[in-house]
């Protein structure tokens, strides 16, 4: 097997784990949706089993991504970046990063709504950083119920039950950086007085 093909196949496991974690699914829930056994899914994610088309097709369908995104297919000569948004439950997620593992970046657009939805906080492994671009984002995080406006950010451990939605049923756009447990966004603040003139 040539080195490039081997590297592409080795990268599938971390990519599958990142997609499952991002969507807050357990292996058992994913197994129910794909009819692939939990042990096979676990072995795919750990790299102990090589992916096949028969396994990747139902996973791509469940995650709402193109098959070539799972295997990081080589470019076909077209230099344009073809980002494929995923729309589910009134939310559109546009991936901004394509590398497996590490911190994943998304632009998320929440559509407007007729009535504010009832929050259903859930927790999962990972760490997330949100930055609001437009609109008012309601973030329920543990015991906190916050409204973030454009230019505001939040950073939190995703094991804490959380939920986000539009604060006023108007559309909201925000950026999300998501990483596995222990990976945090690091912000550096200028020393006090740096911007004084």
């Amino acid at each position: 097997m040539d080195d490039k093909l081997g590297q592409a196949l080795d990268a599938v496991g971390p990519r599958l784990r990142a997609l499952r974690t991002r969507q807050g699914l357990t292996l058992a829930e994913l197994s129910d949706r794909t009819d692939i056994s939990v042990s096979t899914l676990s072995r795919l994610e750990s790299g102990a089993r090589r992916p096949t088309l028969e396994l990747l097709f139902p996973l791509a369908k469940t995650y709402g991504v193109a098959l070539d995104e799972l295997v990081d297919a080589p470019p076909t000569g077209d230099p344009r970046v073809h980002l494929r948004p995923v729309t589910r439950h009134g939310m559109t997620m546009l991936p901004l990063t394509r590398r497996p593992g590490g911190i994943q970046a998304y632009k998320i657009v929440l559509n407007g709504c007729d009535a504010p939805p009832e929050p259903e906080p859930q927790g999962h492994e990972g760490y997330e950083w949100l930055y609001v671009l437009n609109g008012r984002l309601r973030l329920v995080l543990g015991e906190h119920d916050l409204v973030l406006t454009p230019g505001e950010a939040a950073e939190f451990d995703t094991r804490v039950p959380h939920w986000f939605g539009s604060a006023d049923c108007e559309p909201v756009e925000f950026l999300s950086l998501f990483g596995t447990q222990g990976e945090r966004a690091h912000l550096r603040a200028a020393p006090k007085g740096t911007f004084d003139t």
Side-chain angles (χ1 to χ4, degrees):
M1 178 180 313
D2 89 14
D3 286 345
K4 286 187 180 179
L5 177 57
Q7 289 172 354
L9 291 177
D10 289 343
V12 171
R15 190 172 284 113
L16 291 173
R17 181 178 290 116
L19 282 166
R20 180 176 59 79
T21 303
R22 178 71 186 119
Q23 294 191 14
L25 296 173
T26 65
L27 286 171
E29 290 168 333
L30 183 59
S31 176
D32 288 342
R33 294 183 186 189
T34 61
D35 291 326
I36 299 171
S37 73
V38 170
S39 64
T40 298
L41 291 169
S42 178
R43 291 175 67 223
L44 277 172
E45 287 187 3
S46 70
R49 177 164 181 166
R50 290 284 188 186
T52 63
L53 287 176
E54 290 80 13
L55 296 172
L56 293 179
F57 275 129
L59 289 168
K61 182 177 180 184
T62 298
Y63 291 135
V65 299
L67 188 61
D68 64 342
E69 287 184 45
L70 294 181
V71 296
D72 196 22
T76 57
D78 184 347
R80 293 175 292 178
V81 175
H82 299 281
L83 301 173
R84 293 180 177 88
V86 176
T87 301
R88 215 177 258 132
H89 308 297
M91 175 173 66
T92 301
M93 292 177 38
L94 181 66
L96 302 176
T97 54
R98 296 177 54 101
R99 68 183 180 97
I103 293 180
Q104 303 295 313
Y106 300 88
K107 178 178 180 186
I108 300 177
V109 179
L110 302 177
N111 297 333
C113 56
D114 295 327
E118 187 61 34
E120 296 179 18
Q122 296 182 2
H124 53 84
E125 284 294 317
Y127 211 86
E128 189 157 8
W129 183 84
L130 306 174
Y131 179 83
V132 179
L133 299 169
N134 290 303
R136 294 166 34 90
L137 180 70
R138 180 179 179 198
L139 172 63
V140 175
L141 179 63
E143 297 174 359
H144 303 283
D145 194 338
L146 310 164
V147 174
L148 303 175
T149 57
E152 291 188 304
E155 182 179 20
F156 55 93
D157 184 325
T158 57
R159 291 178 297 182
V160 175
H162 59 283
W163 174 92
F164 50 78
S166 173
D168 51 16
C169 280
E170 294 296 318
V172 181
E173 295 179 53
F174 62 98
L175 299 177
S176 168
L177 298 179
F178 177 81
T180 56
Q181 192 56 38
E183 292 179 313
R184 299 177 62 168
H186 296 283
L187 301 177
R188 294 182 191 254
K192 189 174 182 177
T194 301
F195 296 108
D196 293 343
T197 56

